Amino acid sequence: MRYRLTFITGVAVGYVLGARAGRERYEQLRKSAQRVAHNPAVRNAAETAGQTGRGAALKAVDAVKGKVGDKVPASVTAQVRRLRRKGAAVEDGWGTSNT
């Protein structure tokens, strides 16, 4: 019984110390990720990638539309028209959820 109690106490102490160390490491990683995300160079690269992606999507829709004709859904063509009118730098809302 004494060995069992010692073992359970050791497991409990190890769990508590491990959880505390894990939480501290999590906080370190979270702060590091926030620093990277708020870095202006990273933000500029992400914005450039987004604009490049939008441009590629416009070209792809044009290519697909040329091949399939009027079979492209109206919602897609309306979104493409809206992006063309306002320019590629506009926030388009694609890929976001409303939750």
mmCIF file of all heavy atoms in Angstrom, residues 18-42:
data_model
loop_
_atom_site.group_PDB
_atom_site.id
_atom_site.type_symbol
_atom_site.label_atom_id
_atom_site.label_comp_id
_atom_site.label_asym_id
_atom_site.label_seq_id
_atom_site.Cartn_x
_atom_site.Cartn_y
_atom_site.Cartn_z
ATOM 1 N N GLY A 18 4.704 19.015 -14.837
ATOM 2 C CA GLY A 18 4.713 18.939 -16.296
ATOM 3 C C GLY A 18 3.684 19.863 -16.912
ATOM 4 O O GLY A 18 3.938 20.501 -17.935
ATOM 5 N N ALA A 19 2.508 19.937 -16.304
ATOM 6 C CA ALA A 19 1.471 20.825 -16.824
ATOM 7 C C ALA A 19 1.900 22.281 -16.709
ATOM 8 O O ALA A 19 1.670 23.080 -17.618
ATOM 9 C CB ALA A 19 0.163 20.597 -16.076
ATOM 10 N N ARG A 20 2.536 22.628 -15.625
ATOM 11 C CA ARG A 20 2.994 24.012 -15.434
ATOM 12 C C ARG A 20 4.081 24.338 -16.452
ATOM 13 O O ARG A 20 4.068 25.392 -17.083
ATOM 14 C CB ARG A 20 3.519 24.205 -14.014
ATOM 15 C CG ARG A 20 3.873 25.648 -13.717
ATOM 16 C CD ARG A 20 4.208 25.871 -12.270
ATOM 17 N NE ARG A 20 3.043 25.579 -11.443
ATOM 18 C CZ ARG A 20 3.110 25.096 -10.218
ATOM 19 N NH1 ARG A 20 4.275 24.849 -9.675
ATOM 20 N NH2 ARG A 20 2.016 24.871 -9.520
ATOM 21 N N ALA A 21 5.029 23.417 -16.637
ATOM 22 C CA ALA A 21 6.087 23.640 -17.620
ATOM 23 C C ALA A 21 5.503 23.691 -19.024
ATOM 24 O O ALA A 21 5.931 24.499 -19.853
ATOM 25 C CB ALA A 21 7.144 22.535 -17.523
ATOM 26 N N GLY A 22 4.517 22.860 -19.297
ATOM 27 C CA GLY A 22 3.870 22.863 -20.604
ATOM 28 C C GLY A 22 3.152 24.170 -20.868
ATOM 29 O O GLY A 22 3.190 24.697 -21.981
ATOM 30 N N ARG A 23 2.510 24.703 -19.864
ATOM 31 C CA ARG A 23 1.805 25.973 -20.017
ATOM 32 C C ARG A 23 2.790 27.117 -20.276
ATOM 33 O O ARG A 23 2.536 27.980 -21.115
ATOM 34 C CB ARG A 23 0.965 26.258 -18.767
ATOM 35 C CG ARG A 23 0.177 27.526 -18.800
ATOM 36 C CD ARG A 23 -0.874 27.468 -19.850
ATOM 37 N NE ARG A 23 -1.582 28.729 -19.937
ATOM 38 C CZ ARG A 23 -2.627 28.933 -20.659
ATOM 39 N NH1 ARG A 23 -3.117 27.953 -21.376
ATOM 40 N NH2 ARG A 23 -3.205 30.103 -20.698
ATOM 41 N N GLU A 24 3.914 27.106 -19.571
ATOM 42 C CA GLU A 24 4.918 28.140 -19.780
ATOM 43 C C GLU A 24 5.478 28.064 -21.201
ATOM 44 O O GLU A 24 5.651 29.089 -21.865
ATOM 45 C CB GLU A 24 6.041 28.000 -18.750
ATOM 46 C CG GLU A 24 5.617 28.385 -17.346
ATOM 47 C CD GLU A 24 6.680 28.065 -16.312
ATOM 48 O OE1 GLU A 24 7.788 27.631 -16.694
ATOM 49 O OE2 GLU A 24 6.396 28.249 -15.117
ATOM 50 N N ARG A 25 5.734 26.858 -21.675
ATOM 51 C CA ARG A 25 6.250 26.689 -23.035
ATOM 52 C C ARG A 25 5.198 27.125 -24.056
ATOM 53 O O ARG A 25 5.526 27.759 -25.057
ATOM 54 C CB ARG A 25 6.647 25.227 -23.274
ATOM 55 C CG ARG A 25 7.216 24.976 -24.629
ATOM 56 C CD ARG A 25 8.535 25.698 -24.822
ATOM 57 N NE ARG A 25 9.039 25.411 -26.153
ATOM 58 C CZ ARG A 25 9.746 26.255 -26.860
ATOM 59 N NH1 ARG A 25 10.072 27.427 -26.379
ATOM 60 N NH2 ARG A 25 10.161 25.928 -28.056
ATOM 61 N N TYR A 26 3.942 26.818 -23.796
ATOM 62 C CA TYR A 26 2.861 27.251 -24.679
ATOM 63 C C TYR A 26 2.825 28.773 -24.759
ATOM 64 O O TYR A 26 2.683 29.344 -25.840
ATOM 65 C CB TYR A 26 1.524 26.707 -24.171
ATOM 66 C CG TYR A 26 0.340 27.360 -24.821
ATOM 67 C CD1 TYR A 26 -0.038 27.027 -26.112
ATOM 68 C CD2 TYR A 26 -0.386 28.338 -24.147
ATOM 69 C CE1 TYR A 26 -1.118 27.648 -26.722
ATOM 70 C CE2 TYR A 26 -1.467 28.962 -24.745
ATOM 71 C CZ TYR A 26 -1.831 28.608 -26.027
ATOM 72 O OH TYR A 26 -2.888 29.226 -26.622
ATOM 73 N N GLU A 27 2.938 29.434 -23.623
ATOM 74 C CA GLU A 27 2.926 30.898 -23.613
ATOM 75 C C GLU A 27 4.117 31.459 -24.387
ATOM 76 O O GLU A 27 3.976 32.449 -25.102
ATOM 77 C CB GLU A 27 2.927 31.430 -22.170
ATOM 78 C CG GLU A 27 1.638 31.156 -21.416
ATOM 79 C CD GLU A 27 0.430 31.861 -22.012
ATOM 80 O OE1 GLU A 27 0.584 32.947 -22.603
ATOM 81 O OE2 GLU A 27 -0.679 31.322 -21.903
ATOM 82 N N GLN A 28 5.283 30.835 -24.256
ATOM 83 C CA GLN A 28 6.450 31.276 -25.014
ATOM 84 C C GLN A 28 6.197 31.148 -26.512
ATOM 85 O O GLN A 28 6.498 32.063 -27.280
ATOM 86 C CB GLN A 28 7.681 30.455 -24.647
ATOM 87 C CG GLN A 28 8.268 30.763 -23.295
ATOM 88 C CD GLN A 28 9.423 29.823 -22.983
ATOM 89 O OE1 GLN A 28 9.630 28.818 -23.664
ATOM 90 N NE2 GLN A 28 10.170 30.144 -21.928
ATOM 91 N N LEU A 29 5.655 30.019 -26.935
ATOM 92 C CA LEU A 29 5.381 29.804 -28.355
ATOM 93 C C LEU A 29 4.331 30.778 -28.867
ATOM 94 O O LEU A 29 4.436 31.289 -29.988
ATOM 95 C CB LEU A 29 4.921 28.362 -28.583
ATOM 96 C CG LEU A 29 5.981 27.292 -28.383
ATOM 97 C CD1 LEU A 29 5.340 25.906 -28.455
ATOM 98 C CD2 LEU A 29 7.073 27.422 -29.421
ATOM 99 N N ARG A 30 3.311 31.039 -28.059
ATOM 100 C CA ARG A 30 2.250 31.959 -28.460
ATOM 101 C C ARG A 30 2.796 33.368 -28.646
ATOM 102 O O ARG A 30 2.509 34.041 -29.641
ATOM 103 C CB ARG A 30 1.129 31.959 -27.424
ATOM 104 C CG ARG A 30 -0.101 32.756 -27.842
ATOM 105 C CD ARG A 30 -1.206 32.663 -26.809
ATOM 106 N NE ARG A 30 -0.842 33.272 -25.542
ATOM 107 C CZ ARG A 30 -0.891 34.586 -25.295
ATOM 108 N NH1 ARG A 30 -1.285 35.411 -26.215
ATOM 109 N NH2 ARG A 30 -0.546 35.051 -24.118
ATOM 110 N N LYS A 31 3.622 33.826 -27.715
ATOM 111 C CA LYS A 31 4.218 35.163 -27.831
ATOM 112 C C LYS A 31 5.128 35.252 -29.051
ATOM 113 O O LYS A 31 5.140 36.260 -29.758
ATOM 114 C CB LYS A 31 4.993 35.508 -26.562
ATOM 115 C CG LYS A 31 4.094 35.819 -25.390
ATOM 116 C CD LYS A 31 4.893 36.104 -24.141
ATOM 117 C CE LYS A 31 3.978 36.295 -22.946
ATOM 118 N NZ LYS A 31 4.719 36.488 -21.705
ATOM 119 N N SER A 32 5.873 34.207 -29.296
ATOM 120 C CA SER A 32 6.751 34.185 -30.459
ATOM 121 C C SER A 32 5.939 34.237 -31.753
ATOM 122 O O SER A 32 6.288 34.964 -32.686
ATOM 123 C CB SER A 32 7.611 32.923 -30.425
ATOM 124 O OG SER A 32 8.407 32.839 -31.566
ATOM 125 N N ALA A 33 4.863 33.495 -31.820
ATOM 126 C CA ALA A 33 4.007 33.501 -33.008
ATOM 127 C C ALA A 33 3.372 34.867 -33.213
ATOM 128 O O ALA A 33 3.249 35.337 -34.352
ATOM 129 C CB ALA A 33 2.936 32.425 -32.881
ATOM 130 N N GLN A 34 2.988 35.530 -32.141
ATOM 131 C CA GLN A 34 2.398 36.864 -32.265
ATOM 132 C C GLN A 34 3.432 37.872 -32.772
ATOM 133 O O GLN A 34 3.110 38.737 -33.581
ATOM 134 C CB GLN A 34 1.830 37.332 -30.932
ATOM 135 C CG GLN A 34 0.524 36.685 -30.583
ATOM 136 C CD GLN A 34 -0.013 37.151 -29.245
ATOM 137 O OE1 GLN A 34 0.709 37.706 -28.422
ATOM 138 N NE2 GLN A 34 -1.291 36.918 -29.013
ATOM 139 N N ARG A 35 4.672 37.747 -32.302
ATOM 140 C CA ARG A 35 5.725 38.650 -32.789
ATOM 141 C C ARG A 35 5.943 38.462 -34.285
ATOM 142 O O ARG A 35 6.094 39.431 -35.029
ATOM 143 C CB ARG A 35 7.029 38.399 -32.037
ATOM 144 C CG ARG A 35 7.154 39.171 -30.749
ATOM 145 C CD ARG A 35 8.596 39.199 -30.258
ATOM 146 N NE ARG A 35 9.205 37.876 -30.161
ATOM 147 C CZ ARG A 35 9.164 37.105 -29.084
ATOM 148 N NH1 ARG A 35 8.532 37.508 -28.005
ATOM 149 N NH2 ARG A 35 9.755 35.936 -29.084
ATOM 150 N N VAL A 36 5.949 37.219 -34.718
ATOM 151 C CA VAL A 36 6.141 36.952 -36.146
ATOM 152 C C VAL A 36 4.949 37.489 -36.944
ATOM 153 O O VAL A 36 5.128 38.119 -37.984
ATOM 154 C CB VAL A 36 6.325 35.438 -36.393
ATOM 155 C CG1 VAL A 36 6.245 35.108 -37.871
ATOM 156 C CG2 VAL A 36 7.656 34.977 -35.826
ATOM 157 N N ALA A 37 3.740 37.261 -36.461
ATOM 158 C CA ALA A 37 2.549 37.699 -37.187
ATOM 159 C C ALA A 37 2.453 39.215 -37.263
ATOM 160 O O ALA A 37 1.912 39.757 -38.232
ATOM 161 C CB ALA A 37 1.303 37.134 -36.521
ATOM 162 N N HIS A 38 2.978 39.923 -36.288
ATOM 163 C CA HIS A 38 2.896 41.381 -36.279
ATOM 164 C C HIS A 38 4.105 42.038 -36.948
ATOM 165 O O HIS A 38 4.163 43.259 -37.051
ATOM 166 C CB HIS A 38 2.755 41.898 -34.853
ATOM 167 C CG HIS A 38 1.420 41.596 -34.245
ATOM 168 N ND1 HIS A 38 0.675 40.500 -34.549
ATOM 169 C CD2 HIS A 38 0.684 42.273 -33.349
ATOM 170 C CE1 HIS A 38 -0.443 40.499 -33.864
ATOM 171 N NE2 HIS A 38 -0.467 41.573 -33.123
ATOM 172 N N ASN A 39 5.037 41.236 -37.414
ATOM 173 C CA ASN A 39 6.217 41.759 -38.083
ATOM 174 C C ASN A 39 5.799 42.365 -39.427
ATOM 175 O O ASN A 39 5.113 41.715 -40.220
ATOM 176 C CB ASN A 39 7.209 40.618 -38.309
ATOM 177 C CG ASN A 39 8.516 41.081 -38.889
ATOM 178 O OD1 ASN A 39 8.598 42.137 -39.508
ATOM 179 N ND2 ASN A 39 9.551 40.283 -38.701
ATOM 180 N N PRO A 40 6.189 43.608 -39.710
ATOM 181 C CA PRO A 40 5.781 44.257 -40.964
ATOM 182 C C PRO A 40 6.222 43.497 -42.217
ATOM 183 O O PRO A 40 5.493 43.452 -43.204
ATOM 184 C CB PRO A 40 6.452 45.628 -40.905
ATOM 185 C CG PRO A 40 6.701 45.879 -39.468
ATOM 186 C CD PRO A 40 6.933 44.538 -38.850
ATOM 187 N N ALA A 41 7.390 42.895 -42.185
ATOM 188 C CA ALA A 41 7.859 42.148 -43.355
ATOM 189 C C ALA A 41 6.958 40.943 -43.626
ATOM 190 O O ALA A 41 6.630 40.636 -44.778
ATOM 191 C CB ALA A 41 9.300 41.689 -43.149
ATOM 192 N N VAL A 42 6.544 40.271 -42.575
ATOM 193 C CA VAL A 42 5.658 39.112 -42.722
ATOM 194 C C VAL A 42 4.295 39.563 -43.226
ATOM 195 O O VAL A 42 3.704 38.931 -44.113
ATOM 196 C CB VAL A 42 5.545 38.347 -41.391
ATOM 197 C CG1 VAL A 42 4.491 37.257 -41.464
ATOM 198 C CG2 VAL A 42 6.882 37.758 -40.994
#
